[in-house]
Amino acid sequence: MLFKDRAREDFNVEIIGSQQLDDWVNECVNIYQGNPCWLDEEEHIDTVNFAKSVCSETARLTTLGIGIHVDGSARADWLQSQIEQIYYQLRHWIEYGCACGTIILKPNGDTVDLYPRDRFDVTHISNGEIDGVIFYDQEHRGKKWYTKMEYHRFENKQYLISNRCFVGRSENDCGRRIDISQTPWEGLADEAALVNVEKTLFGVLRTPHANNIDINSPFGLPIYSEAIQELRDLDIAYSRNTKEIRDSKRTILLDADRVLPDKERLKTAEALGHSVMPDYIKLVEGDTSVESDIYHEINPQLNTDTRLKGINSLLSQIGYKVGFSNGYFVFNESSGIQTATEVEADQQRTVQFIKDVRDKLENCLSGLIYALNVFADLYDMAPVGTYEVVYDFSDITYSFEEERAHHYQLAVQGHYPWEEYYVRFLGYSREDARKLIAMAKQEQKTPSLFGGEE
């Protein structure tokens, strides 16, 4: 809130959003981080952090066999190299997007920065798309905290970027405003006006679920937002089951008066029981005034099977509300997706959900690549040229070996470059792949003993 107020003052803008939505997203993020509000040590209620598992599985399926190919010119080759630098971060970023509801990817001149929901504020939207944003960056140097507010927006057919910097004594302290030359971001301009920019210089990844907390908001919701009650019930059910298991230790009670008749030695009964008897035997003082049993056995009956049915029911409800097919998540059972026919018949909801997330990812990456292209123009990072982006995803029946065999046949037939095959499926660097291919071509041109080429 401190940053929001300072941004309103310095940029004279209104922040789009609501406290109700911010509180809800914060609650969901706490659940994702393993700190739900229903944790209770006295009641032995812990968390299995299933929200994290749901986000992780969504990201895994979304990036399964993902390929991003930028072709068309030397500029396209440069853009491809930039995407390859962040290729192995995509799965993590998508998982964070699933947990936050909305994230932004923005070039910084060297690489790409990830902005989760708490590191940016929206100031303007057009046709439901975010096109005005204030980004918050922080650097900690010694005892000082530096904060940069970077404001992106369109005005008078120009794309404007404004930077404001502050120094404080903690990460929650804006402190006083200072010149950008006295900060870790020295070299950046306070103001920049760009022409011929048609899109924002960042990519927005928003979850496909509609926002029912704030209908007018441009933000998405965490993918498990509709299943908070079920996540709570799952943690309670699982905690009750594990508590029952922990308390199910077989115990035998032996009358200490019978085992050790000398009452003076009863004081040492507990110590004796721990030292020479099995740990499941406990010596207790019986009632000597009446005839009492010398032996009692406590062997609790577990209800694991019954509880597991309830747990699986909750898992199925959570998965369905997120977007997965009914029964996708279960314990002690196989939800295995074996063939395309099974996927089509039993997992259609899962397929559609992952397709929706992939569409959102494509839109985000297209915006990011456009921003990288503009940066290349501004700072002369690569020759001017056109580019075309092709996205390739494997279905959720993905098999690496099958895909490698398929692309090998394409390469043999001349429909797929050997360089890409070496890099993607054999693990070579692009430079090493080119050297090997060049050596192979040279070997093919070596004259044979009989005249021609071998």
Side-chain angles (χ1 to χ4, degrees), residues 348-428:
Q348 187 58 46
R349 183 176 174 84
T350 301
V351 172
Q352 183 60 56
F353 171 57
I354 297 303
K355 173 65 166 58
D356 292 341
V357 178
R358 287 174 173 178
D359 289 344
K360 294 293 186 179
L361 175 61
E362 283 190 26
N363 181 66
C364 173
L365 292 177
S366 295
L368 174 63
I369 292 172
Y370 177 84
L372 288 168
N373 185 56
V374 173
F375 269 66
D377 288 336
L378 291 175
Y379 300 106
D380 196 24
M381 295 178 174
V384 176
T386 59
Y387 69 90
E388 181 180 358
V389 185
V390 177
Y391 299 97
D392 178 30
F393 296 94
S394 295
D395 61 34
I396 56 178
T397 63
Y398 173 75
S399 166
F400 179 79
E401 293 301 326
E402 290 180 4
E403 184 176 22
R404 180 164 64 177
H406 172 67
H407 282 79
Y408 177 80
Q409 292 298 325
L410 290 177
V412 170
Q413 297 168 8
H415 303 309
Y416 189 79
W418 280 110
E419 180 182 321
E420 291 297 327
Y421 179 83
Y422 276 54
V423 171
R424 183 172 179 181
F425 298 103
L426 300 183
Y428 288 97

Coordinates of all heavy atoms in Angstrom, one line a residue, residues 348-428:
Q348 N -10.9 -35.5 -21.7 CA -11.1 -34.3 -22.5 C -11.1 -33.0 -21.8 O -10.6 -32.0 -22.3 CB -12.5 -34.5 -23.2 CG -12.8 -33.4 -24.3 CD -11.7 -33.4 -25.4 OE1 -11.3 -34.5 -25.9 NE2 -11.2 -32.2 -25.7
R349 N -11.6 -33.0 -20.6 CA -11.6 -31.8 -19.8 C -10.2 -31.3 -19.4 O -9.9 -30.1 -19.5 CB -12.4 -32.0 -18.5 CG -12.6 -30.8 -17.6 CD -13.4 -31.1 -16.4 NE -13.5 -29.9 -15.5 CZ -14.3 -28.9 -15.5 NH1 -15.1 -28.8 -16.6 NH2 -14.2 -27.9 -14.7
T350 N -9.3 -32.3 -19.1 CA -7.9 -32.0 -18.9 C -7.3 -31.4 -20.1 O -6.5 -30.4 -20.1 CB -7.2 -33.2 -18.4 OG1 -7.8 -33.7 -17.2 CG2 -5.7 -32.9 -18.1
V351 N -7.5 -32.0 -21.2 CA -6.9 -31.6 -22.5 C -7.4 -30.1 -22.8 O -6.5 -29.3 -23.2 CB -7.3 -32.5 -23.7 CG1 -6.9 -32.0 -25.0 CG2 -6.8 -33.9 -23.5
Q352 N -8.6 -29.8 -22.6 CA -9.1 -28.5 -22.9 C -8.5 -27.5 -22.0 O -8.2 -26.4 -22.4 CB -10.7 -28.5 -22.8 CG -11.3 -27.1 -23.2 CD -10.9 -26.7 -24.6 OE1 -11.2 -27.5 -25.6 NE2 -10.3 -25.5 -24.8
F353 N -8.4 -27.8 -20.7 CA -7.8 -26.9 -19.7 C -6.4 -26.6 -20.0 O -6.0 -25.4 -20.0 CB -7.9 -27.5 -18.3 CG -7.2 -26.8 -17.3 CD1 -7.4 -25.4 -17.0 CD2 -6.2 -27.4 -16.5 CE1 -6.7 -24.8 -16.0 CE2 -5.5 -26.7 -15.5 CZ -5.8 -25.4 -15.3
I354 N -5.6 -27.6 -20.4 CA -4.2 -27.4 -20.7 C -4.1 -26.6 -22.0 O -3.2 -25.7 -22.1 CB -3.4 -28.7 -20.8 CG1 -3.4 -29.4 -19.4 CG2 -2.0 -28.5 -21.3 CD1 -2.8 -28.6 -18.3
K355 N -5.0 -26.8 -22.9 CA -5.0 -26.1 -24.2 C -5.3 -24.6 -23.9 O -4.6 -23.7 -24.5 CB -6.1 -26.6 -25.1 CG -6.3 -25.8 -26.4 CD -5.1 -25.8 -27.3 CE -5.5 -25.2 -28.7 NZ -6.0 -23.9 -28.7
D356 N -6.2 -24.3 -23.0 CA -6.5 -22.9 -22.6 C -5.2 -22.2 -22.0 O -4.9 -21.1 -22.3 CB -7.6 -22.9 -21.6 CG -8.9 -23.3 -22.2 OD1 -9.0 -23.2 -23.5 OD2 -9.9 -23.6 -21.5
V357 N -4.5 -23.0 -21.1 CA -3.3 -22.4 -20.5 C -2.2 -22.2 -21.5 O -1.5 -21.1 -21.5 CB -2.8 -23.3 -19.3 CG1 -1.5 -22.7 -18.7 CG2 -3.9 -23.5 -18.3
R358 N -2.1 -23.1 -22.4 CA -1.1 -22.9 -23.5 C -1.4 -21.7 -24.4 O -0.5 -21.0 -24.8 CB -1.0 -24.2 -24.3 CG -0.3 -25.4 -23.6 CD -0.4 -26.6 -24.4 NE 0.4 -27.7 -23.8 CZ 0.5 -28.9 -24.3 NH1 -0.2 -29.3 -25.4 NH2 1.3 -29.8 -23.7
D359 N -2.7 -21.5 -24.7 CA -3.1 -20.3 -25.4 C -2.7 -19.0 -24.7 O -2.2 -18.1 -25.3 CB -4.6 -20.3 -25.7 CG -5.0 -21.4 -26.7 OD1 -4.1 -21.9 -27.4 OD2 -6.2 -21.7 -26.7
K360 N -2.9 -19.0 -23.4 CA -2.5 -17.8 -22.6 C -1.0 -17.7 -22.6 O -0.5 -16.5 -22.7 CB -3.0 -18.0 -21.2 CG -4.5 -18.0 -21.0 CD -5.1 -16.6 -21.3 CE -6.6 -16.6 -21.0 NZ -7.1 -15.2 -21.3
L361 N -0.3 -18.8 -22.6 CA 1.2 -18.7 -22.6 C 1.7 -18.2 -24.0 O 2.6 -17.4 -24.0 CB 1.8 -20.1 -22.4 CG 3.3 -20.2 -22.5 CD1 4.0 -19.3 -21.5 CD2 3.8 -21.7 -22.3
E362 N 1.1 -18.7 -25.0 CA 1.5 -18.2 -26.4 C 1.3 -16.7 -26.5 O 2.1 -15.9 -27.0 CB 0.6 -18.9 -27.4 CG 1.1 -20.3 -27.8 CD 0.4 -20.8 -29.0 OE1 -0.1 -20.0 -29.9 OE2 0.2 -22.1 -29.1
N363 N 0.1 -16.2 -26.0 CA -0.1 -14.8 -26.0 C 0.9 -14.0 -25.2 O 1.4 -12.9 -25.7 CB -1.5 -14.5 -25.5 CG -1.9 -13.0 -25.5 OD1 -2.1 -12.4 -26.5 ND2 -2.1 -12.4 -24.3
C364 N 1.3 -14.5 -24.1 CA 2.3 -13.9 -23.2 C 3.7 -13.8 -23.9 O 4.3 -12.8 -24.0 CB 2.4 -14.6 -21.9 SG 3.8 -14.0 -20.8
L365 N 4.1 -15.0 -24.5 CA 5.4 -15.0 -25.2 C 5.4 -14.2 -26.4 O 6.5 -13.6 -26.8 CB 5.7 -16.5 -25.5 CG 6.0 -17.4 -24.3 CD1 6.2 -18.8 -24.7 CD2 7.1 -16.9 -23.4
S366 N 4.3 -14.1 -27.1 CA 4.3 -13.3 -28.3 C 4.5 -11.8 -27.9 O 5.2 -11.1 -28.6 CB 2.9 -13.4 -29.0 OG 2.8 -14.7 -29.6
G367 N 3.9 -11.4 -26.8 CA 4.1 -10.0 -26.3 C 5.5 -9.8 -25.9 O 6.1 -8.8 -26.1
L368 N 6.1 -10.8 -25.3 CA 7.5 -10.7 -24.8 C 8.5 -10.7 -26.0 O 9.4 -9.8 -26.0 CB 7.9 -12.0 -23.9 CG 9.3 -12.1 -23.5 CD1 9.7 -10.9 -22.6 CD2 9.5 -13.4 -22.8
I369 N 8.2 -11.5 -27.0 CA 9.1 -11.5 -28.2 C 9.0 -10.1 -28.9 O 10.0 -9.6 -29.4 CB 8.8 -12.6 -29.1 CG1 9.2 -14.0 -28.4 CG2 9.5 -12.5 -30.5 CD1 8.7 -15.2 -29.2
Y370 N 7.8 -9.6 -29.0 CA 7.6 -8.3 -29.6 C 8.4 -7.2 -28.8 O 9.1 -6.4 -29.4 CB 6.2 -7.9 -29.6 CG 5.9 -6.5 -30.2 CD1 5.8 -6.2 -31.5 CD2 5.8 -5.4 -29.3 CE1 5.6 -4.9 -32.0 CE2 5.6 -4.1 -29.8 CZ 5.5 -3.9 -31.1 OH 5.3 -2.6 -31.6
A371 N 8.4 -7.3 -27.5 CA 9.2 -6.3 -26.7 C 10.7 -6.5 -26.9 O 11.4 -5.5 -27.0 CB 8.8 -6.5 -25.2
L372 N 11.1 -7.7 -27.0 CA 12.5 -8.0 -27.3 C 12.9 -7.4 -28.6 O 14.0 -6.9 -28.8 CB 12.8 -9.5 -27.2 CG 12.8 -10.2 -25.9 CD1 12.8 -11.7 -26.0 CD2 14.0 -9.7 -25.0
N373 N 12.1 -7.5 -29.6 CA 12.3 -7.0 -30.9 C 12.5 -5.5 -30.9 O 13.4 -4.9 -31.5 CB 11.2 -7.4 -31.9 CG 11.5 -7.0 -33.3 OD1 12.5 -7.3 -33.9 ND2 10.6 -6.2 -33.9
V374 N 11.6 -4.8 -30.1 CA 11.7 -3.3 -30.0 C 13.0 -3.0 -29.3 O 13.7 -2.0 -29.6 CB 10.5 -2.8 -29.2 CG1 10.7 -1.3 -28.9 CG2 9.2 -3.0 -30.0
F375 N 13.4 -3.7 -28.2 CA 14.6 -3.5 -27.5 C 15.8 -3.6 -28.5 O 16.8 -2.9 -28.4 CB 14.8 -4.4 -26.4 CG 14.2 -3.9 -25.1 CD1 12.9 -3.7 -24.9 CD2 15.1 -3.6 -24.0 CE1 12.3 -3.2 -23.8 CE2 14.5 -3.1 -22.8 CZ 13.2 -2.9 -22.7
A376 N 15.8 -4.6 -29.4 CA 16.8 -4.8 -30.3 C 17.0 -3.6 -31.3 O 18.1 -3.2 -31.6 CB 16.6 -6.1 -31.2
D377 N 15.8 -3.0 -31.6 CA 15.9 -1.8 -32.4 C 16.5 -0.6 -31.7 O 17.3 0.2 -32.2 CB 14.5 -1.4 -32.9 CG 13.9 -2.4 -34.0 OD1 14.8 -3.0 -34.7 OD2 12.7 -2.5 -34.1
L378 N 16.0 -0.4 -30.4 CA 16.5 0.7 -29.6 C 18.0 0.7 -29.3 O 18.6 1.7 -29.4 CB 15.7 0.7 -28.3 CG 14.2 1.1 -28.4 CD1 13.6 0.9 -27.0 CD2 14.0 2.5 -28.9
Y379 N 18.5 -0.5 -29.0 CA 19.9 -0.6 -28.6 C 20.8 -1.3 -29.6 O 21.9 -1.6 -29.3 CB 20.0 -1.3 -27.3 CG 19.2 -0.6 -26.2 CD1 18.0 -1.2 -25.7 CD2 19.6 0.5 -25.6 CE1 17.2 -0.5 -24.7 CE2 18.9 1.2 -24.6 CZ 17.7 0.6 -24.2 OH 17.0 1.2 -23.2
D380 N 20.3 -1.4 -30.9 CA 21.0 -2.0 -32.0 C 21.7 -3.3 -31.6 O 22.9 -3.5 -31.8 CB 22.1 -1.0 -32.4 CG 22.7 -1.3 -33.8 OD1 22.0 -2.0 -34.6 OD2 23.8 -0.9 -34.1
M381 N 20.9 -4.2 -31.0 CA 21.4 -5.5 -30.6 C 21.5 -6.5 -31.7 O 22.2 -7.5 -31.5 CB 20.5 -6.0 -29.5 CG 20.5 -5.2 -28.2 SD 19.3 -5.8 -27.0 CE 19.6 -4.8 -25.6
A382 N 20.8 -6.3 -32.8 CA 20.8 -7.3 -33.9 C 20.3 -6.6 -35.1 O 19.6 -5.6 -35.1 CB 19.9 -8.5 -33.5
P383 N 20.7 -7.1 -36.3 CA 20.3 -6.5 -37.6 C 18.8 -6.4 -37.7 O 18.1 -7.3 -37.2 CB 20.9 -7.4 -38.6 CG 22.0 -8.1 -37.9 CD 21.6 -8.2 -36.5
V384 N 18.3 -5.4 -38.3 CA 16.9 -5.3 -38.6 C 16.4 -6.4 -39.5 O 17.1 -6.7 -40.5 CB 16.5 -3.9 -39.2 CG1 15.1 -3.8 -39.5 CG2 17.0 -2.8 -38.2
G385 N 15.2 -6.9 -39.2 CA 14.7 -8.0 -40.0 C 13.4 -8.5 -39.5 O 12.9 -8.1 -38.4
T386 N 12.7 -9.3 -40.3 CA 11.4 -9.8 -39.9 C 11.6 -11.1 -39.2 O 12.6 -11.7 -39.2 CB 10.5 -10.0 -41.2 OG1 11.2 -11.0 -42.0 CG2 10.3 -8.8 -42.0
Y387 N 10.5 -11.5 -38.5 CA 10.5 -12.7 -37.8 C 9.1 -13.4 -37.7 O 8.1 -12.7 -37.9 CB 11.1 -12.5 -36.4 CG 10.1 -11.8 -35.5 CD1 9.2 -12.4 -34.7 CD2 10.2 -10.4 -35.3 CE1 8.3 -11.8 -33.8 CE2 9.3 -9.7 -34.5 CZ 8.4 -10.4 -33.8 OH 7.5 -9.7 -32.9
E388 N 9.1 -14.7 -37.6 CA 7.9 -15.4 -37.5 C 8.1 -16.4 -36.3 O 9.1 -17.1 -36.2 CB 7.5 -16.2 -38.8 CG 6.2 -17.0 -38.7 CD 5.9 -17.7 -40.0 OE1 6.7 -17.5 -41.0 OE2 4.9 -18.4 -40.0
V389 N 7.1 -16.5 -35.5 CA 7.1 -17.4 -34.3 C 6.2 -18.6 -34.5 O 5.0 -18.4 -34.9 CB 6.7 -16.7 -33.0 CG1 6.9 -17.6 -31.8 CG2 7.5 -15.4 -32.9
V390 N 6.7 -19.8 -34.3 CA 6.0 -21.0 -34.4 C 6.1 -21.7 -33.0 O 7.2 -21.9 -32.5 CB 6.4 -21.9 -35.5 CG1 5.7 -23.2 -35.5 CG2 6.3 -21.2 -36.8
Y391 N 4.9 -22.0 -32.4 CA 4.9 -22.7 -31.1 C 4.5 -24.2 -31.4 O 3.6 -24.5 -32.1 CB 3.8 -22.1 -30.2 CG 4.1 -20.7 -29.9 CD1 3.5 -19.6 -30.6 CD2 5.0 -20.3 -28.9 CE1 3.8 -18.3 -30.3 CE2 5.3 -19.0 -28.6 CZ 4.7 -18.0 -29.3 OH 5.0 -16.7 -29.0
D392 N 5.2 -25.1 -30.7 CA 5.0 -26.5 -30.8 C 4.9 -27.1 -29.5 O 5.7 -26.9 -28.6 CB 6.2 -27.1 -31.6 CG 6.1 -28.6 -31.7 OD1 4.9 -29.1 -31.8 OD2 7.1 -29.3 -31.8
F393 N 3.7 -27.8 -29.2 CA 3.5 -28.5 -28.0 C 3.2 -29.9 -28.2 O 2.6 -30.3 -29.2 CB 2.3 -27.9 -27.2 CG 2.5 -26.4 -26.8 CD1 2.0 -25.4 -27.7 CD2 3.1 -26.1 -25.6 CE1 2.1 -24.1 -27.3 CE2 3.2 -24.8 -25.3 CZ 2.8 -23.8 -26.1
S394 N 3.7 -30.8 -27.3 CA 3.3 -32.2 -27.4 C 2.0 -32.4 -26.6 O 1.7 -31.6 -25.7 CB 4.4 -33.1 -26.7 OG 5.6 -33.0 -27.4
D395 N 1.2 -33.4 -27.0 CA 0.0 -33.7 -26.3 C 0.4 -34.4 -24.9 O 1.6 -34.7 -24.7 CB -0.9 -34.6 -27.1 CG -0.4 -35.9 -27.4 OD1 0.4 -36.5 -26.6 OD2 -0.7 -36.5 -28.5
I396 N -0.6 -34.6 -24.1 CA -0.3 -35.0 -22.7 C 0.0 -36.5 -22.7 O 0.2 -37.1 -21.6 CB -1.4 -34.7 -21.8 CG1 -2.8 -35.2 -22.2 CG2 -1.5 -33.2 -21.6 CD1 -3.9 -34.9 -21.3
T397 N 0.0 -37.2 -23.9 CA 0.5 -38.6 -23.9 C 2.0 -38.6 -24.3 O 2.5 -39.6 -24.8 CB -0.3 -39.4 -25.0 OG1 -0.1 -38.8 -26.3 CG2 -1.7 -39.4 -24.7
Y398 N 2.7 -37.4 -24.2 CA 4.0 -37.2 -24.7 C 5.0 -38.3 -24.2 O 5.0 -38.7 -23.1 CB 4.5 -35.9 -24.1 CG 6.0 -35.6 -24.4 CD1 6.4 -35.2 -25.7 CD2 6.9 -35.7 -23.4 CE1 7.7 -35.0 -26.0 CE2 8.3 -35.4 -23.7 CZ 8.6 -35.0 -25.0 OH 10.0 -34.8 -25.2
S399 N 5.8 -38.8 -25.2 CA 6.9 -39.7 -24.9 C 8.1 -39.1 -25.6 O 8.1 -38.9 -26.8 CB 6.6 -41.1 -25.5 OG 7.8 -41.9 -25.5
F400 N 9.2 -38.9 -24.9 CA 10.4 -38.3 -25.4 C 11.0 -39.2 -26.5 O 11.4 -38.7 -27.6 CB 11.4 -38.1 -24.3 CG 12.7 -37.5 -24.8 CD1 12.8 -36.1 -25.1 CD2 13.8 -38.3 -25.0 CE1 14.0 -35.6 -25.6 CE2 15.0 -37.8 -25.5 CZ 15.1 -36.4 -25.7
E401 N 11.0 -40.5 -26.2 CA 11.6 -41.4 -27.2 C 10.8 -41.4 -28.5 O 11.3 -41.5 -29.6 CB 11.6 -42.8 -26.6 CG 12.6 -43.0 -25.5 CD 14.1 -42.6 -25.9 OE1 14.4 -42.9 -27.1 OE2 14.8 -42.1 -25.1
E402 N 9.5 -41.4 -28.4 CA 8.6 -41.4 -29.6 C 8.9 -40.1 -30.4 O 8.9 -40.1 -31.6 CB 7.1 -41.5 -29.2 CG 6.8 -42.9 -28.7 CD 5.3 -42.9 -28.3 OE1 4.6 -41.9 -28.6 OE2 4.9 -44.0 -27.8
E403 N 9.0 -39.0 -29.7 CA 9.2 -37.7 -30.4 C 10.6 -37.7 -31.0 O 10.7 -37.2 -32.1 CB 9.1 -36.5 -29.4 CG 9.2 -35.2 -30.1 CD 9.0 -34.0 -29.2 OE1 9.1 -34.2 -27.9 OE2 8.7 -32.9 -29.7
R404 N 11.6 -38.2 -30.3 CA 12.9 -38.2 -30.9 C 12.9 -39.1 -32.2 O 13.5 -38.7 -33.2 CB 13.9 -38.8 -29.9 CG 15.3 -38.8 -30.5 CD 16.4 -39.0 -29.4 NE 16.3 -40.3 -28.7 CZ 17.1 -40.7 -27.8 NH1 18.1 -39.9 -27.4 NH2 16.9 -41.9 -27.2
A405 N 12.3 -40.3 -32.2 CA 12.2 -41.1 -33.3 C 11.5 -40.4 -34.5 O 11.9 -40.5 -35.6 CB 11.5 -42.4 -33.0
H406 N 10.4 -39.7 -34.1 CA 9.6 -39.0 -35.2 C 10.5 -37.9 -35.8 O 10.5 -37.8 -37.1 CB 8.4 -38.4 -34.5 CG 7.6 -37.5 -35.4 ND1 6.9 -37.9 -36.5 CD2 7.4 -36.1 -35.4 CE1 6.3 -36.9 -37.1 NE2 6.6 -35.8 -36.4
H407 N 11.2 -37.1 -35.0 CA 12.0 -36.0 -35.6 C 13.2 -36.6 -36.3 O 13.7 -35.9 -37.2 CB 12.4 -35.0 -34.5 CG 11.3 -34.1 -34.1 ND1 10.2 -34.5 -33.3 CD2 11.0 -32.8 -34.5 CE1 9.4 -33.4 -33.1 NE2 9.9 -32.4 -33.8
Y408 N 13.7 -37.7 -35.9 CA 14.8 -38.4 -36.6 C 14.4 -38.7 -38.1 O 15.1 -38.4 -39.0 CB 15.3 -39.6 -35.9 CG 16.4 -40.4 -36.6 CD1 17.7 -40.0 -36.6 CD2 16.1 -41.5 -37.4 CE1 18.7 -40.6 -37.2 CE2 17.1 -42.2 -38.1 CZ 18.4 -41.7 -38.0 OH 19.3 -42.4 -38.7
Q409 N 13.2 -39.3 -38.2 CA 12.7 -39.6 -39.5 C 12.5 -38.3 -40.4 O 12.8 -38.3 -41.6 CB 11.3 -40.4 -39.4 CG 11.5 -41.8 -38.8 CD 12.4 -42.6 -39.7 OE1 12.4 -42.5 -40.9 NE2 13.1 -43.5 -39.0
L410 N 12.0 -37.3 -39.7 CA 11.8 -36.0 -40.4 C 13.2 -35.5 -40.9 O 13.3 -34.9 -42.0 CB 11.1 -35.0 -39.5 CG 9.7 -35.2 -39.2 CD1 9.1 -34.1 -38.3 CD2 8.8 -35.2 -40.5
A411 N 14.2 -35.6 -40.0 CA 15.5 -35.1 -40.4 C 16.1 -35.9 -41.6 O 16.7 -35.4 -42.5 CB 16.5 -35.1 -39.2
V412 N 15.9 -37.2 -41.5 CA 16.4 -38.1 -42.6 C 15.7 -37.7 -43.9 O 16.4 -37.7 -45.0 CB 16.1 -39.6 -42.2 CG1 16.4 -40.5 -43.5 CG2 17.0 -40.0 -41.1
Q413 N 14.5 -37.4 -43.9 CA 13.7 -37.0 -45.1 C 14.0 -35.6 -45.5 O 13.4 -35.1 -46.5 CB 12.2 -37.2 -44.8 CG 11.8 -38.7 -44.6 CD 10.4 -38.8 -44.0 OE1 9.7 -37.8 -44.0 NE2 10.1 -40.0 -43.6
G414 N 14.7 -34.8 -44.7 CA 15.1 -33.4 -45.1 C 14.0 -32.4 -44.6 O 14.1 -31.3 -45.1
H415 N 13.1 -32.8 -43.8 CA 12.0 -31.9 -43.3 C 12.3 -31.3 -42.0 O 11.5 -30.5 -41.5 CB 10.7 -32.6 -43.3 CG 10.3 -33.3 -44.6 ND1 10.3 -32.6 -45.8 CD2 9.9 -34.5 -44.9 CE1 9.9 -33.3 -46.8 NE2 9.7 -34.6 -46.3
Y416 N 13.4 -31.6 -41.4 CA 13.8 -31.1 -40.0 C 15.3 -30.9 -40.0 O 16.0 -31.8 -40.3 CB 13.3 -32.1 -38.9 CG 13.4 -31.5 -37.5 CD1 12.4 -30.6 -37.1 CD2 14.4 -31.9 -36.7 CE1 12.5 -30.1 -35.8 CE2 14.5 -31.4 -35.4 CZ 13.5 -30.5 -34.9 OH 13.6 -30.0 -33.6
P417 N 15.8 -29.8 -39.5 CA 17.2 -29.5 -39.5 C 18.0 -30.4 -38.5 O 17.5 -30.6 -37.4 CB 17.3 -28.0 -39.1 CG 16.0 -27.7 -38.4 CD 15.0 -28.6 -39.1
W418 N 19.1 -31.0 -39.0 CA 19.9 -31.8 -38.1 C 20.4 -31.1 -36.9 O 20.5 -31.6 -35.8 CB 21.0 -32.4 -38.9 CG 20.6 -33.6 -39.7 CD1 20.6 -33.7 -41.1 CD2 20.2 -34.9 -39.2 NE1 20.2 -34.9 -41.5 CE2 20.0 -35.7 -40.4 CE3 20.1 -35.5 -38.0 CZ2 19.5 -37.0 -40.3 CZ3 19.7 -36.8 -37.9 CH2 19.4 -37.6 -39.0
E419 N 20.7 -29.8 -37.1 CA 21.2 -29.0 -36.0 C 20.2 -28.9 -34.8 O 20.5 -29.1 -33.7 CB 21.4 -27.5 -36.5 CG 22.0 -26.6 -35.4 CD 22.2 -25.2 -35.9 OE1 22.7 -25.0 -37.0 OE2 21.9 -24.3 -35.1
E420 N 18.9 -28.8 -35.2 CA 17.9 -28.7 -34.1 C 17.7 -30.1 -33.5 O 17.5 -30.2 -32.3 CB 16.5 -28.3 -34.7 CG 16.4 -26.9 -35.2 CD 16.6 -25.9 -34.0 OE1 16.2 -26.2 -32.9 OE2 17.2 -24.8 -34.2
Y421 N 17.9 -31.2 -34.3 CA 17.8 -32.5 -33.7 C 18.9 -32.8 -32.7 O 18.7 -33.3 -31.6 CB 17.9 -33.5 -34.8 CG 17.8 -35.0 -34.4 CD1 16.5 -35.6 -34.1 CD2 18.9 -35.7 -34.1 CE1 16.5 -36.9 -33.6 CE2 18.9 -37.0 -33.7 CZ 17.6 -37.6 -33.4 OH 17.6 -38.9 -33.0
Y422 N 20.1 -32.4 -33.1 CA 21.3 -32.5 -32.2 C 21.1 -31.8 -30.9 O 21.4 -32.3 -29.8 CB 22.6 -32.1 -32.8 CG 23.2 -33.1 -33.7 CD1 22.5 -33.7 -34.8 CD2 24.6 -33.5 -33.6 CE1 23.1 -34.7 -35.6 CE2 25.2 -34.4 -34.4 CZ 24.4 -35.0 -35.4 OH 25.0 -36.0 -36.2
V423 N 20.6 -30.6 -31.0 CA 20.4 -29.7 -29.8 C 19.3 -30.2 -28.9 O 19.4 -30.3 -27.7 CB 20.2 -28.2 -30.2 CG1 19.8 -27.4 -29.0 CG2 21.4 -27.7 -30.9
R424 N 18.1 -30.5 -29.5 CA 16.9 -30.8 -28.8 C 16.9 -32.2 -28.2 O 16.5 -32.4 -27.1 CB 15.7 -30.5 -29.6 CG 14.4 -30.7 -28.9 CD 13.2 -30.3 -29.8 NE 12.0 -30.5 -29.1 CZ 10.8 -30.2 -29.7 NH1 10.7 -29.7 -30.9 NH2 9.7 -30.5 -29.0
F425 N 17.4 -33.1 -29.0 CA 17.2 -34.5 -28.6 C 18.5 -35.2 -28.2 O 18.5 -36.3 -27.5 CB 16.6 -35.3 -29.7 CG 15.2 -34.9 -30.1 CD1 15.0 -34.1 -31.2 CD2 14.1 -35.2 -29.3 CE1 13.8 -33.6 -31.5 CE2 12.9 -34.7 -29.6 CZ 12.7 -33.9 -30.7
L426 N 19.7 -34.7 -28.5 CA 20.9 -35.3 -28.2 C 21.7 -34.5 -27.1 O 22.8 -35.0 -26.7 CB 21.8 -35.5 -29.4 CG 21.2 -36.4 -30.5 CD1 22.2 -36.6 -31.7 CD2 20.8 -37.8 -29.9
G427 N 21.2 -33.3 -26.8 CA 21.8 -32.5 -25.8 C 23.1 -31.7 -26.1 O 23.8 -31.3 -25.2
Y428 N 23.4 -31.6 -27.4 CA 24.6 -30.9 -27.8 C 24.3 -29.4 -27.8 O 23.1 -28.9 -27.9 CB 25.0 -31.2 -29.3 CG 25.6 -32.6 -29.4 CD1 24.9 -33.7 -29.8 CD2 27.0 -32.8 -29.1 CE1 25.5 -35.0 -29.9 CE2 27.6 -34.1 -29.2 CZ 26.8 -35.1 -29.6 OH 27.4 -36.4 -29.7

